[in-house]
Amino acid sequence: SQQGEEDPQALSIQEGENATMNCSYKTSINNLQWYRQNSGRGLVHLILIRSNEREKHSGRLRVTLDTSKKSSSLLITASRAADTASYFCATDAADSNYQLIWGAGTKLIIKP
Amino acid sequence: GAVVSQHPSWVICKSGTSVKIECRSLDFQATTMFWYRQFPKQSLMLMATSNEGSKATYEQGVEKDKFLINHASLTLSTLTVTSAHPEDSSFYICSARDLAGMGETQYFGPGTRLLVL
């Protein structure tokens, strides 16, 4: 099931620039997670931010969470060609029995 | 990090045959595994939640007699697509929740691409 909206649907930037993707959701959550999927491949877990956290960093990734607006953003700094992939947000809703609810995804293309 | 494997990684079969896909957690125990399907350029769609030792819980619109799920052990869940038809062609992905951890993170398999001719 999907509850998340992600924008933009597609993003194309030059290598070295920063990429920002946004995710909105509808219900109360325990946490929100970001995943990366290379074309035709499985998903790679990037980062998890809990509902009581506002910002989290992991390497070149920075995630923010605004529970009042039910939104999150993923910032990738100093992008590289290898960052080209689809990025999905997924929420662990408060009463979901650990089921993840997925956004539609953002297709990120990094031009060399 | 935790590893989840899927087998096979891709399969081509004739219409009417059944296909079994295995999902294994290699270095952790998983009481709960999830099965998804993904159509091209779309997000993941949850098909069912597989619980070790009990019946799977299917999402609305997913035929349980069509997609048989068995979670016989803490490290293995199988999805059998019975009497497959071309419309069943898709990318099937499983994920597993680590029993020992807080269970917040799901670990995903690499996916199985099914093509039904």
Side-chain angles (χ1 to χ4, degrees), chain B residues 7-8 11 18-22 35 68 77-81 112:
Chain B
H7 178 80
V11 58
S18 294
V19 175
K20 180 185 283 188
I21 303 170
E22 293 185 349
W35 286 96
L68 300 178
S77 176
T78 60
L79 168 68
T80 301
V81 183
T112 297

Side-chain angles (χ1 to χ4, degrees), chain A residues 58-109:
Chain A
S58 177
R60 293 184 295 114
L61 306 180
R62 172 176 168 256
V63 168
T64 62
L65 178 65
D66 187 334
T67 53
S68 66
K69 295 181 179 178
K70 290 187 169 58
S71 67
S72 174
S73 67
L74 170 66
L75 168 67
I76 303 174
T77 60
S79 63
R80 305 168 182 169
D83 295 329
T84 294
S86 291
Y87 291 81
F88 295 92
C89 69
T91 53
D92 183 348
D95 58 352
S96 70
N97 192 28
Y98 298 105
Q99 291 180 356
L100 293 178
I101 303 176
W102 295 83
T106 294
K107 173 68 176 174
L108 176 65
I109 297 172

Side-chain angles (χ1 to χ4, degrees), chain B residues 1-116:
Chain B
V3 177
V4 174
S5 70
Q6 274 184 249
H7 178 80
S9 56
W10 60 271
V11 58
I12 301 173
C13 69
K14 292 181 179 180
S15 188
T17 60
S18 294
V19 175
K20 180 185 283 188
I21 303 170
E22 293 185 349
C23 177
R24 291 181 186 272
S25 56
L26 297 185
D27 51 2
F28 67 98
Q29 293 183 324
T31 52
T32 303
M33 291 184 173
F34 301 92
W35 286 96
Y36 298 87
R37 67 186 298 182
Q38 185 181 32
F39 292 105
K41 299 184 180 180
Q42 293 190 25
S43 188
L44 280 73
M45 183 189 80
L46 179 66
M47 299 175 65
T49 303
S50 170
N51 297 298
E52 187 266 339
S54 64
K55 292 182 179 180
T57 303
Y58 290 81
E59 294 300 298
Q60 192 172 7
V62 178
E63 299 175 58
K64 60 180 181 181
D65 295 330
K66 172 76 172 176
F67 299 99
L68 300 178
I69 292 172
N70 183 277
H71 193 154
S73 76
L74 287 172
T75 59
L76 173 64
S77 176
T78 60
L79 168 68
T80 301
V81 183
T82 61
S83 187
H85 290 283
E87 58 265 30
D88 298 324
S89 298
S90 190
F91 191 52
Y92 292 87
I93 306 174
C94 72
S95 70
R97 187 169 67 87
D98 187 347
L99 176 64
M102 293 181 66
E104 295 175 308
T105 301
Q106 291 185 23
Y107 300 97
F108 284 79
T112 297
R113 190 163 300 282
L114 170 64
L115 177 61
V116 185

Side-chain angles (χ1 to χ4, degrees), chain A residues 35-50:
Chain A
Y35 289 84
R36 183 185 74 227
Q37 185 181 36
N38 290 87
S39 182
R41 307 288 290 274
L43 285 96
V44 174
H45 182 261
L46 295 177
I47 199 164
L48 179 153
I49 186 165
R50 295 189 178 90

